[in-house]
């Protein structure tokens, strides 16, 4: 009997894996694999593939809503793809620029803040990690409450990292010297760098707030659990 129920469940399980937004997610993973394979030999191709994969993040979300194919697996696949791809790019930049600790610290902050936010969401019994209406931070509420602002911050981060990779001439660049030198030039690139730097700084500020807020939720959960003990 149990075997028959399992067999009936298989097509349903397979159908979730084959949801259109999830297929887009698989394509994102494949694009990133190809991109990172050529990141040093062909920076232009890497940038195009990486940014296209990043843009597909919005496509799979649209597909999920359009075809009513929202799934937990798809949401996790989406977040894992985002975090891993950004982490890989930060590791590459840490090999190109000095001090490399800057990019490794950004990597740690990105992963820690998002992991804590997801876990605290689970503890608080919320259905989405974007539910931050009860937060005391206006910037935190603005980030998750305003899609345009959130999009600007996320795009700024990725574009900034791509620019830094493209303008690096060797693998021993001083980060501060390269950034200052580029900003002092009157060019479209310097304007784009300044624009993305502001969005990047907002994103890192949100990451810090997110990590602290999520840590507070975990601590309060422990306190409440202790108080419930007889």
């Amino acid at each position: 009997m149990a075997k028959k129920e399992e067999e009936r469940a298989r097509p349903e399980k397979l159908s979730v894996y084959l949801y259109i937004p999830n297929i887009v997610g698989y394509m994102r993973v494949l694009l990133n694999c190809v991109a990172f394979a050529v990141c040093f030999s062909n920076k232009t191709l890497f940038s195009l593939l990486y940014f296209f994969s990043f843009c597909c993040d919005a496509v799979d979300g649209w597909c999920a809503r359009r075809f009513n194919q929202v799934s937990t697996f798809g949401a996790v696949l989406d977040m894992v793809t985002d975090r891993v791809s950004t982490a890989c790019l930060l590791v590459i930049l840490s090999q190109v620029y000095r001090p490399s600790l800057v990019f490794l610290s950004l990597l740690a902050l990105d992963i820690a803040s998002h992991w804590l936010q997801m876990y605290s969401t689970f503890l608080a019994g919320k259905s989405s990690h974007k539910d931050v209406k009860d937060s005391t931070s206006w910037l935190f509420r603005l980030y998750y409450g305003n899609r345009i602002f959130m999009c600007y911050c996320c795009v700024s981060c990725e574009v900034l990292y791509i620019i830094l990779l493209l303008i690096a001439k060797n693998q021993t660049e001083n980060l501060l010297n390269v950034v200052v030198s580029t900003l002092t030039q009157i060019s479209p690139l310097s304007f784009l760098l300044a624009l993305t730097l502001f969005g990047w700084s907002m994103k890192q500020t949100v990451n810090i707030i997110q990590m602290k807020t999520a840590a507070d939720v975990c601590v309060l959960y422990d306190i409440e659990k202790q108080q419930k003990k007889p």
Side-chain angles (χ1 to χ4, degrees):
M1 186 72 177
K3 206 169 186 179
K4 288 182 179 179
E5 290 179 359
E6 185 181 348
E7 287 175 356
R8 283 199 297 268
R10 280 177 186 169
E12 296 177 5
K13 186 192 297 184
L14 181 61
S15 67
V16 174
Y17 282 119
L18 295 179
Y19 277 178
I20 294 174
N22 293 343
I23 292 174
V24 175
Y26 307 145
M27 290 174 59
R28 291 186 64 202
V29 172
L30 181 60
L31 284 170
N32 279 323
C33 288
V34 176
F36 285 109
V38 300
C39 63
F40 287 115
S41 59
N42 194 330
K43 290 182 180 180
T44 303
L45 179 59
F46 164 80
S47 302
L48 291 173
L49 292 175
Y50 183 90
F51 191 69
F52 183 67
S53 172
F54 173 74
C55 291
C56 285
D57 185 18
V59 175
D60 62 20
W62 180 86
C63 288
R65 293 185 295 272
R66 174 67 176 80
F67 300 105
N68 193 26
Q69 293 182 338
V70 177
S71 65
T72 302
F73 170 74
V76 172
L77 175 65
D78 189 43
M79 175 169 280
V80 169
T81 303
D82 288 340
R83 302 280 67 77
V84 171
S85 58
T86 302
C88 289
L89 181 51
L90 286 170
V91 168
I92 288 171
L93 289 172
S94 74
Q95 300 302 305
V96 175
Y97 287 94
R98 299 294 177 266
S100 58
L101 184 61
V102 172
F103 297 102
L104 296 178
S105 298
L106 289 171
L107 188 160
L109 175 62
D110 187 58
I111 293 177
S113 65
H114 282 85
W115 189 89
L116 273 169
Q117 179 66 6
M118 290 294 291
Y119 195 77
S120 66
T121 298
F122 168 75
L123 291 179
K126 295 180 180 179
S127 59
S128 172
H129 69 282
K130 296 180 181 180
D131 183 2
V132 296
K133 300 184 187 70
D134 55 349
S135 174
T136 57
S137 171
W138 66 268
L139 182 60
F140 197 34
R141 295 196 305 272
L142 175 65
Y143 180 78
Y144 279 118
N146 189 306
R147 187 177 293 273
I148 295 176
F149 180 67
M150 182 181 184
C151 181
Y152 163 64
C153 293
C154 292
V155 171
S156 293
C157 276
E158 302 301 331
V159 172
L160 174 63
Y161 296 150
I162 290 173
I163 290 174
L164 288 176
L165 182 64
L166 287 173
I167 63 179
K169 295 177 182 177
N170 54 61
Q171 294 188 14
T172 57
E173 297 278 13
N174 181 283
L175 178 61
L176 184 60
N177 290 344
V178 171
V179 171
V180 172
S181 174
T182 305
L183 287 175
T184 52
Q185 298 172 6
I186 307 301
S187 66
L189 180 61
S190 63
F191 174 76
L192 181 61
L193 184 62
L195 187 66
T196 56
L197 268 172
F198 180 76
W200 170 86
S201 64
M202 291 292 100
K203 181 72 165 63
Q204 304 318 307
T205 303
V206 167
N207 278 344
I208 293 171
I209 295 171
Q210 179 170 260
M211 186 166 61
K212 176 61 170 63
T213 303
D216 287 343
V217 171
C218 294
V219 170
L220 289 173
Y221 177 83
D222 285 334
I223 293 173
E224 290 175 3
K225 191 165 66 172
Q226 288 291 335
Q227 290 175 344
K228 289 178 182 179
K229 286 184 178 180

